[in-house]
Amino acid sequence: MADFIDPFTDTGFKIVFGRENVSNEILAYLLNSLFSGQPGFDKIVKVRYPNCERTHDWVSGKTIVYDVFCETENGHRFIVEMQKNPQENFMDRAIYYVSRSIAEQGYKGKRMEKGESTEENYWNYSLLPVVGVFFSNFYIKGLEKKPVVHAMLVDTDNTKPISFSTRYAFIQLPAFDINNEEDCNTDFDKLIYSLKNMKNMQTMPFTSHHEIFQRLANVGSVSNLSPQERIQYEYDLKKARDYNAEMSYARKTAIEEGRAEGRAEGRAEGRAEGRAEGRAEGRAEGRAEEAREIARKLKASGVPLETIKDATGLSESQISLL
């Protein structure tokens, strides 16, 4: 097994980003580097992990379980998700997750604080901002094919933000084409480069530049996994290998079946075209023979040449040979 885990497996992602008192600094580094320079974003100092299992859906009674759910010291909420394989309606799913975290902030009537209700505590629709961060190992339908796409509510005439209550960051991993450490220009480049390649690394890069990469090396080391994490991680690897093998076989089978169908259709079309051409040629030859026979009879009866030409469509030379 490799020295470091694959952080883009289900278990690996939660090990790197989702463990209280272990992953906090790595997650804060990710979020700060991701949103650096974005409007309305204050640097995160600390994150904490409330329960990732959120409220029940009132219709089905089911819960949403996020990959990673955290809150900052000033009350901002972050949902961090990883989707390795393409999923239908992925964008709608992202919107739904953020919307649910917004909607669950509402309450009815008087809100209790320290066991007492106060008249002024009726909810007035004030919201804690919710930010959705979505990693995808594929290009998301409808988005430009670039590494990161940021989105929020804006005035469509001037693109100025009108609210920071909901915002999104879509990280499309296939668009990161950085193949060398030297090509990493930002903190975010360094982190994504390390995450994408750590499963094949023997040493973690950038450890001399920032201690966060040393922490990433420690957190992501296979030798540091607990027995239960090791079992779950190996199960994830097996599941991923099985999926890739199944998809590869399905693609190969589809290609072979397509080729076979194409050859069969080609042969069938060739036979059909041959029969059609044969019938057409036969009908044409029959009409030509009929015209010659009529011309013979008219010629024998002494009908003028011009009249025979008009009646049969034959040329003067053709009639002369009869």
Side-chain angles (χ1 to χ4, degrees):
M1 181 175 285
D3 293 329
F4 299 110
I5 62 174
D6 180 352
F8 297 125
T9 59
D10 291 341
T11 301
F13 192 78
K14 292 174 182 176
I15 287 173
V16 171
F17 292 114
R19 293 191 294 176
E20 186 72 75
N21 300 321
V22 176
S23 308
N24 308 59
E25 294 181 14
I26 299 174
L27 182 57
Y29 185 89
L30 166 70
L31 297 176
N32 282 326
S33 61
L34 174 61
F35 289 98
S36 177
Q38 289 293 306
F41 180 80
D42 298 324
K43 184 176 181 181
I44 297 170
V45 178
K46 293 181 180 180
V47 299
R48 67 181 184 87
Y49 297 86
N51 187 357
C52 288
E53 186 173 281
R54 308 310 295 166
T55 57
H56 289 283
D57 184 296
W58 69 274
V59 175
S60 64
K62 296 180 180 179
T63 57
I64 291 178
V65 180
Y66 303 127
D67 287 345
V68 176
F69 182 85
C70 72
E71 293 180 350
T72 65
E73 71 279 2
N74 57 358
H76 285 52
R77 297 179 172 187
F78 286 84
I79 298 166
V80 187
E81 289 278 313
M82 171 64 203
Q83 184 65 32
K84 194 162 187 177
N85 301 309
Q87 184 183 74
E88 187 178 10
N89 302 322
F90 181 77
M91 181 65 70
D92 290 342
R93 172 188 167 187
I95 295 171
Y96 177 71
Y97 274 21
V98 171
S99 299
R100 281 294 301 273
S101 188
I102 284 286
E104 70 180 21
Q105 296 181 41
Y107 57 90
K108 297 178 181 179
K110 300 176 183 179
R111 186 172 185 175
M112 302 296 292
E113 289 190 359
K114 297 182 180 179
E116 298 180 358
S117 65
T118 57
E119 293 295 333
E120 65 272 16
N121 254 348
Y122 286 97
W123 185 51
N124 64 353
Y125 293 96
S126 61
L127 295 170
L128 299 176
V130 178
V131 183
V133 178
F134 298 91
F135 285 83
S136 66
N137 202 32
F138 53 92
Y139 288 110
I140 300 171
K141 183 179 179 180
L143 296 185
E144 185 179 347
K145 291 184 177 181
K146 59 183 182 179
V148 179
V149 176
H150 288 279
M152 64 175 66
L153 290 174
V154 300
D155 182 331
T156 57
D157 289 333
N158 55 31
T159 69
K160 290 183 178 180
I162 62 174
S163 172
F164 297 116
S165 294
T166 59
R167 63 199 302 168
Y168 303 83
F170 298 96
I171 304 171
Q172 301 181 109
L173 295 174
F176 282 90
D177 56 358
I178 298 175
N179 299 313
N180 300 289
E181 297 175 30
E182 295 76 15
D183 296 329
C184 296
N185 298 316
T186 66
D187 290 341
F188 190 67
D189 289 344
K190 294 174 183 178
L191 182 58
I192 298 300
Y193 172 82
S194 300
L195 292 171
K196 284 192 69 175
N197 295 284
M198 61 187 284
K199 66 180 180 180
N200 299 317
M201 293 175 174
Q202 294 182 324
T203 58
M204 182 66 63
F206 311 117
T207 53
S208 61
H209 295 71
H210 202 298
E211 65 179 12
I212 200 68
F213 291 96
Q214 184 59 56
R215 177 174 288 276
L216 179 61
N218 293 333
V219 170
S221 174
V222 172
S223 61
N224 290 338
L225 298 181
S226 68
Q228 183 59 39
E229 288 171 339
R230 184 77 172 255
I231 292 172
Q232 185 61 47
Y233 177 63
E234 290 181 353
Y235 171 75
D236 282 353
L237 289 179
K238 178 182 181 300
K239 185 169 63 174
R241 286 193 293 265
D242 289 347
Y243 175 84
N244 289 332
E246 290 169 2
M247 292 302 294
S248 177
Y249 176 74
R251 284 192 293 268
K252 181 180 178 181
T253 301
I255 290 171
E256 291 176 349
E257 290 178 351
R259 287 172 177 167
E261 289 178 3
R263 289 192 294 267
E265 289 176 1
R267 289 193 294 268
E269 289 176 2
R271 289 193 295 268
E273 289 177 3
R275 289 194 294 270
E277 290 176 3
R279 288 194 293 270
E281 290 176 0
R283 288 193 293 270
E285 180 60 30
R287 288 193 294 270
E289 180 57 34
E290 182 180 4
R292 287 193 293 270
E293 182 61 28
I294 293 172
R296 289 191 193 95
K297 291 180 179 179
L298 293 175
K299 185 178 180 181
S301 300
V303 175
L305 180 61
E306 290 299 322
T307 302
I308 298 175
K309 287 170 59 178
D310 293 338
T312 62
L314 298 178
S315 65
E316 184 174 338
S317 60
Q318 288 176 314
I319 297 171
S320 65
L321 295 175
L322 298 176

